[in-house]
């Protein structure tokens, strides 16, 4: 091969539906045991472009702990019910609903010279028909000032910004629906 030959990446292929059988593992959506002090339920529905619930998507979440610390502990694949690792994976049920047991993330420490980001949970979505996973964020709705000063949120127009902010439930949990296309499409991030 000559030095002038340009290699191009292999195109992506649809990511499912086989993953529903290979990727889930015991307690994958429990970042800590349900009912633990400070635990909350994060839930929502994943919708396609026609507004129909997707029954076989998989979501992965990453987040800091309640103090804003990025956790660097092992134990994500073998849950012990006590170790918070900040990572989880959850399959969407037949109704299109996902659920995680986690904590409200705290704000991470700001980078010197930059505004602090509002607390958020990072999400990756795998679903049928997607050639690559999608990335988004779930922001907590509680601190209007932090949301207004967040670098990502402040770069979006108000209608698009709303698609990244969860609703606080009466029990203290969070609801965050994901719309892959169409009206109210969730803002997705490109890390290229």
């Amino acid at each position: 091969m000559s030095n002038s030959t340009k290699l191009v990446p292999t195109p992506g292929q649809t990511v499912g539906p086989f993953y529903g059988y290979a990727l889930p593992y015991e307690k994958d959506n429990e970042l800590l045991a349900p009912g633990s002090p400070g635990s909350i339920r994060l839930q929502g529905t994943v919708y396609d472009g026609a507004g129909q619930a997707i029954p076989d998507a998989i979501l992965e979440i990453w987040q800091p702990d309640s103090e804003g610390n990025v956790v660097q502990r092992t134990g994500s694949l073998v849950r012990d019910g006590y170790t918070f690792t900040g990572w989880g994976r959850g399959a969407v049920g037949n109704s299109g609903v996902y659920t995680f047991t986690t904590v409200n993330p705290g704000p991470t420490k700001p980078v010197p010279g930059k505004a602090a980001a509002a607390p958020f949970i990072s999400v990756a979505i795998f679903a049928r028909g997607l050639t690559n996973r999608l990335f988004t964020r779930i922001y907590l709705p509680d601190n209007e000032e932090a949301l207004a000063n967040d670098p990502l949120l402040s770069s979006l127009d108000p209608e698009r910004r709303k698609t990244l902010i969860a609703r606080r439930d009466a029990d203290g949990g969070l609801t965050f629906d994901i719309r892959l296309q169409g009206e109210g499409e969730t803002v997705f991030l490109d890390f290229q």
Side-chain angles (χ1 to χ4, degrees):
M1 180 177 355
S2 73
N3 288 340
S4 63
T5 302
K6 181 175 178 180
L7 299 176
V8 295
T10 302
Q13 297 182 13
T14 186
V15 294
F18 61 87
Y19 54 77
Y21 305 105
L23 293 179
Y25 59 93
E26 188 175 350
K27 298 181 182 180
D28 57 357
N29 66 339
E30 295 178 10
L31 280 70
L32 71 164
S36 298
S39 68
I40 63 162
R41 181 178 59 180
L42 167 63
Q43 65 181 344
T45 304
V46 181
Y47 295 100
D48 65 16
Q52 300 296 313
I54 297 175
D56 57 1
I58 286 190
L59 276 63
E60 291 182 349
I61 64 171
W62 297 268
Q63 69 171 87
D65 65 16
S66 59
E67 301 299 316
N69 300 310
V70 176
V71 182
Q72 297 180 354
R73 302 204 38 200
T74 60
S76 290
L77 297 177
V78 180
R79 304 283 192 199
D80 64 11
Y82 299 97
T83 305
F84 180 81
T85 63
W87 182 83
R89 177 184 292 148
V92 171
N94 288 336
S95 62
V97 174
Y98 69 89
T99 184
F100 288 93
T101 304
T102 188
V103 298
N104 287 311
T108 55
K109 308 301 180 258
V111 175
K114 294 195 175 195
F120 65 87
I121 299 169
S122 295
V123 183
I125 302 115
F126 302 84
R128 70 172 93 182
L130 296 178
T131 55
N132 292 300
R133 65 187 184 250
L134 298 174
F135 298 95
T136 192
R137 290 180 176 179
I138 303 171
Y139 284 90
L140 278 59
D142 310 309
N143 185 332
E144 292 291 330
E145 182 180 352
L147 292 172
N149 292 326
D150 183 84
L152 173 63
L153 290 176
S154 62
S155 73
L156 301 169
D157 69 67
E159 284 304 306
R160 301 291 290 142
R161 184 179 309 133
K162 288 191 300 190
T163 71
L164 296 179
I165 302 172
R167 297 183 311 271
R168 182 66 69 186
D169 300 327
D171 66 0
L174 296 168
T175 296
F176 182 77
D177 295 331
I178 298 169
R179 298 184 186 283
L180 299 182
Q181 292 179 322
E183 187 175 337
E185 177 183 326
T186 302
V187 169
F188 296 107
L189 308 174
D190 184 358
F191 291 110
Q192 305 232 355

